[in-house]
């Protein structure tokens, strides 16, 4: 696990010092080493920060050069590198190092971009060909590892985090008002769109090829095309198929030359991962974190660990520890990310890093198996959108002034299903975001092409696919990546092995709208069943904004930076007053604006 960056300038003016400075911005991602390489032509410079996980020797240092002259910088892990290594050696290409980096480099040199289909892992990589003067960028199927790109007048730059791009002298801090309004709808950048002009994100499962100023971006893997709903599959059959896939996904993620452990809550997702690890003969330490004012899951986690013969460590988290993340939010997030659960994820990652360098987590289960209330509720909401808007608007004030009541009221005020889903999943509605940014109107944050493709799916499935393609990589995995890498912790997510993802997303509604399949697998692995409903911790954002964060966030919302961004003060005041008076829960809206303001102040 590492941080990568680079600069391609077709004039031959790429500067070593600039890329070294970019790599310095990625120090937390790779505290164990730094490397920078410059092509003799001056066209390309590649930078790398290393976190030692596999092959701790100097043989695995990056940038790594192939005997033919191709050079690789690479962030992540390709877990089936042993199988790929054997294929290389059978073909007469010896591999000197014991990790995966040389295997990835040699496989790409021999097989080209098509070899990406043989990789099972999480990765963002850059391969420069000295002979062909050609750059290849690629990102893993699900989007677990990030890769940001900035287009320049004579080339491009790339990096694992946005602040590294911003340290380049040719990247202008030019905020796009329309992109800002789209960002406010979700609290994170959707698809390729970023807040800055000329800066974008390589989508999951995509690659970029650049040669002589010609840049082509195309998918090498498309999740939606890999799925077909299996209406006839039964629960027992689905569990029988899932168990070996999950066990293998966990097994290949247990390979590490540094200490490794597993997160374990009282939920079925992490329980399934830990049980699969034990079934594969591993004895990892598990970690459970007790949060203030949340249900204590440590008894359930302890019971699971004891049944598997594993040591379970329990750590306590205080509200003060989570609140401290708000001071460092722009640095931790890197690019603006207004997800309240960044705070507990950061605290859990810090606790894990005290003893481990690698952690396995249960992330992904909620997105794949409709774990969010909105995914189960939205198909039932759709018929109400056909009622007159006057009737729907009358119902909104009757809803409870809590988070989901506020979101449901916003959804009822919309006139189409995608706007309604945006109100449930997102932060500011499209209309309110336009008003806040002083625009006549603003489009929904997702591209029309994507929504058109999803509209052909059954109603119960289309929102789950939208989450899998956007919400999962752009919010959930981005949060985990930033919070964990701030502590130089590598987090591996077995439930997002593409084989597991493809199976779970192909299940019919009776199996794909709940955790019954995972529960059956847990039962097959001989582990006590977790509670039927996860009882865990939800960030008390509404109360914090009326209490310990009140003055800080008020200063962000009504300060000079918010004015310079052109945010409509009267709209902010109305939302602030409604929240403080308890008439609605606008915690996510207020946090999003505060995060945006702080990010601008720190990085722009």
């Amino acid at each position: 696990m590492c941080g990568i960056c680079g600069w391609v300038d077709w004039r031959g003016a790429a500067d070593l010092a600039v890329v070294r400075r970019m790599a310095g911005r990625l120090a937390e991602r790779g505290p164990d080493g730094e490397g920078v390489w410059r092509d003799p032509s001056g066209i390309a410079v590649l930078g790398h920060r290393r976190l030692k996980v596999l092959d701790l020797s100097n043989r695995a240092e990056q940038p790594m050069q192939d005997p033919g002259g191709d050079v690789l910088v690479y962030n992540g892990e390709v877990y089936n590198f042993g199988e790929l290594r054997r294929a290389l050696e059978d073909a007469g290409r010896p591999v000197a190092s014991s990790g995966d980096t040389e295997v990835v480099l040699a496989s790409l040199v021999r097989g080209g971009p098509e070899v990406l289909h043989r990789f099972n892992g999480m990765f963002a990589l850059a391969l420069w060909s000295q002979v062909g003067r050609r750059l290849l960028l690629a990102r893993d199927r699900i989007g677990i590892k990030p890769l940001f790109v900035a287009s320049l007048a004579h080339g491009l730059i790339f990096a694992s985090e946005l602040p590294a791009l911003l340290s380049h002298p040719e990247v202008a801090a030019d905020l796009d008002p329309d992109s800002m309004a789209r960002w406010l709808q979700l609290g994170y950048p959707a698809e390729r769109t970023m807040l800055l002009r000329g800066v974008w994100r390589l989508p999951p499962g995509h690659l970029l090829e650049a040669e002589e100023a010609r840049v082509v971006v195309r998918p090498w893997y498309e999740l939606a095309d890999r799925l077909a709903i299996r209406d006839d599959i039964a629960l027992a059959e689905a569990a029988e198929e899932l168990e070996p896939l999950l066990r293998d996904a966990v097994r290949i993620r247990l390979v590490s030359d540094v200490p490794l452990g597993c997160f374990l809550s009282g939920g079925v997702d992490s329980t399934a991962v830990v049980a699969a690890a034990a079934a594969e003969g591993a004895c990892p330490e598990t970690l459970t974190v007790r949060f203030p004012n949340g249900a204590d899951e440590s008894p359930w986690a302890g019971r699971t660990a004891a049944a598997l013969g594993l040591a379970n460590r329990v750590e306590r988290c205080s509200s003060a520890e989570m609140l401290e993340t708000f001071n460092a939010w722009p640095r931790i997030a890197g690019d603006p990310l207004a997800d309240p659960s960044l705070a507990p994820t950061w605290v859990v990652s810090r606790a894990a890093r005290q003893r481990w360098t690698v952690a396995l987590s249960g992330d992904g289960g909620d997105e794949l198996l409709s774990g969010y209330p909105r995914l189960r509720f939205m198909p039932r909401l759709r018929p109400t959108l056909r009622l007159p808007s006057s009737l729907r608007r009358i119902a909104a004030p009757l809803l409870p002034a809590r988070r989901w009541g506020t979101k449901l009221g916003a959804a009822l005020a919309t006139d189409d299903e995608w706007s309604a889903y945006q109100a449930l999943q997102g932060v500011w509605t499209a209309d309110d975001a336009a008003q806040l940014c002083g625009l006549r109107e603003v489009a929904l944050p997702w591209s029309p092409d994507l929504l058109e493709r999803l509209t052909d799916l059954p109603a119960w499935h289309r929102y789950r696919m939208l989450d899998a393609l956007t919400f999962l990589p752009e919010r959930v995995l981005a949060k985990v990546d930033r919070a964990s890498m701030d502590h130089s912790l590598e987090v591996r997510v077995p439930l997002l092995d593409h084989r597991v993802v493809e199976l779970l997303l192909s299940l019919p509604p009776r199996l794909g709208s709940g955790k019954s399949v995972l529960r059956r697998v847990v039962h097959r692995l001989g582990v006590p069943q977790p509670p039927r409903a996860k009882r865990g911790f939800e960030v008390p954002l509404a109360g914090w904004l009326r209490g310990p964060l009140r003055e800080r966030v008020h200063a962000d919302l009504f300060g000079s930076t918010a004015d310079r961004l052109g945010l409509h003060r009267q709209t902010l005041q109305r939302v602030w007053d409604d929240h403080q008076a308890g008439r609605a829960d606008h915690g996510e809206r207020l946090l999003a604006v505060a995060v945006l303001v702080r990010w601008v102040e720190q990085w722009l």
Side-chain angles (χ1 to χ4, degrees), residues 511-569:
L511 302 180
S513 300
K515 303 291 181 70
S516 59
V517 176
L518 271 183
R519 288 185 176 278
R520 180 64 67 95
V521 170
V522 167
H523 176 72
R524 289 168 62 96
L525 294 173
V527 179
Q529 285 289 306
R532 295 303 300 178
K534 184 166 167 40
R535 306 178 301 158
F537 172 76
E538 184 169 316
V539 174
L541 183 61
W544 282 353
L545 289 170
R546 296 178 184 124
L549 290 178
R550 186 178 187 277
E551 298 304 321
R552 244 184 296 178
V553 171
H554 186 273
D556 294 330
L557 267 56
F558 300 102
S560 57
T561 301
D563 288 340
R564 286 198 301 274
L565 290 173
L567 299 179
H568 191 248
R569 184 174 281 251

Side-chain angles (χ1 to χ4, degrees), residues 77-134:
E77 307 285 354
V78 169
Y79 304 113
N80 62 331
F81 72 95
E83 169 195 333
L84 298 169
R85 179 194 185 104
R86 289 188 292 274
L88 288 168
E89 292 173 339
D90 290 345
R93 167 55 163 97
V95 178
S97 59
S98 62
D100 62 333
T101 302
E102 186 180 357
V103 171
V104 169
L105 171 58
S107 298
L108 286 166
V109 170
R110 290 180 62 86
E114 287 304 308
V115 83
L116 293 169
H117 292 280
R118 298 183 60 198
F119 292 175
N120 184 335
M122 56 178 185
F123 55 85
L125 60 84
L127 180 73
W128 172 253
S129 170
Q130 292 189 73
V131 175
R133 294 191 173 185
R134 181 172 56 253

Side-chain angles (χ1 to χ4, degrees), residues 284-306:
E285 181 186 53
T286 61
L287 171 66
T288 306
V289 176
R290 297 174 60 182
F291 291 100
N293 304 317
D296 182 7
E297 297 186 331
S298 60
W300 290 99
R303 183 182 172 198
T304 298

Side-chain angles (χ1 to χ4, degrees), residues 319-349:
S319 294
E321 288 178 283
M322 285 189 290
L323 287 167
E324 75 176 87
T325 64
F326 285 86
N327 294 325
W329 201 287
R331 179 188 60 75
I332 296 169
D335 58 296
L337 177 65
D339 184 341
S341 62
L342 179 74
T345 306
W346 186 85
V347 171
V348 168
S349 298

Side-chain angles (χ1 to χ4, degrees), residues 180-201:
M180 185 168 69
R182 287 159 62 92
W183 181 90
L184 284 164
Q185 292 181 59
L186 297 176
Y188 59 87
E191 301 183 75
R192 288 178 55 165
T193 303
M194 298 299 293
L195 282 167
L196 302 178
R197 300 182 199 274
V199 175
W200 50 282
R201 178 172 46 196

